[in-house]
Amino acid sequence: VHLKESGGGLVQAGGSLRLSCAVISGYLDSSTFMGWFYQAPGKGREGLASIEGDGIANYADSVKGRFTISQDNAKNTLYLQMNSLKPEDTGMYYCVADRNMAWDASGHLSVGDSASWGQGTQVTVSS
């Protein structure tokens, strides 16, 4: 599966952005989860949100109430609406598709070794 993100950019604190992730090639069946991760400068990737084929969404505590994940199956596109952005939201944002995506008891999102990743889109939030 080939994924491509878009929609990143520079925004002031308190502003909004909507990221998109297009499924360029490949097939995602109803058992495939999709999600968004972000990577702050000098840190590892952190899961932010996931959505199941039936539309059930889950979020990391850091973005609950601010970010919304959604998908348009007709357009084969995943979205992340980001509101009330903070400077600490700055980083690269990646979409991912995987059948083995799961949240642990600590609220961390993980994916399997066969996950498909996009190339990422940069989000910069100025203070």
Side-chain angles (χ1 to χ4, degrees):
V1 176
H2 182 198
L3 306 174
K4 183 174 176 60
E5 303 91 339
S6 61
L10 174 64
V11 64
Q12 288 188 330
S16 298
L17 281 175
R18 188 177 80 156
L19 306 183
S20 299
C21 172
V23 180
I24 302 300
S25 64
Y27 173 71
L28 299 178
D29 61 24
S30 60
S31 64
T32 301
F33 292 70
M34 296 198 75
W36 288 96
F37 279 68
Y38 106 114
Q39 186 168 20
K43 297 188 177 181
R45 291 186 186 182
E46 176 183 340
L48 300 177
S50 68
I51 189 165
E52 301 176 33
D54 58 5
I56 295 176
N58 287 285
Y59 300 91
D61 287 344
S62 60
V63 304
K64 279 181 183 176
R66 298 192 300 125
F67 292 8
T68 302
I69 188 171
S70 62
Q71 58 190 6
D72 185 332
N73 292 328
K75 294 183 179 180
N76 278 344
T77 303
L78 178 74
Y79 301 100
L80 186 68
Q81 177 66 43
M82 306 188 295
N83 300 327
S84 302
L85 283 161
K86 306 174 182 180
E88 52 264 42
D89 294 322
T90 293
M92 285 293 287
Y93 284 70
Y94 300 89
C95 69
V96 59
D98 191 32
R99 291 186 175 185
N100 298 310
M101 198 176 298
W103 295 87
D104 65 17
S106 299
H108 296 108
L109 182 62
S110 65
V111 297
D113 294 338
S114 61
S116 297
W117 294 88
Q119 87 290 346
T121 187
Q122 175 69 36
V123 171
T124 303
V125 184
S126 63
S127 57

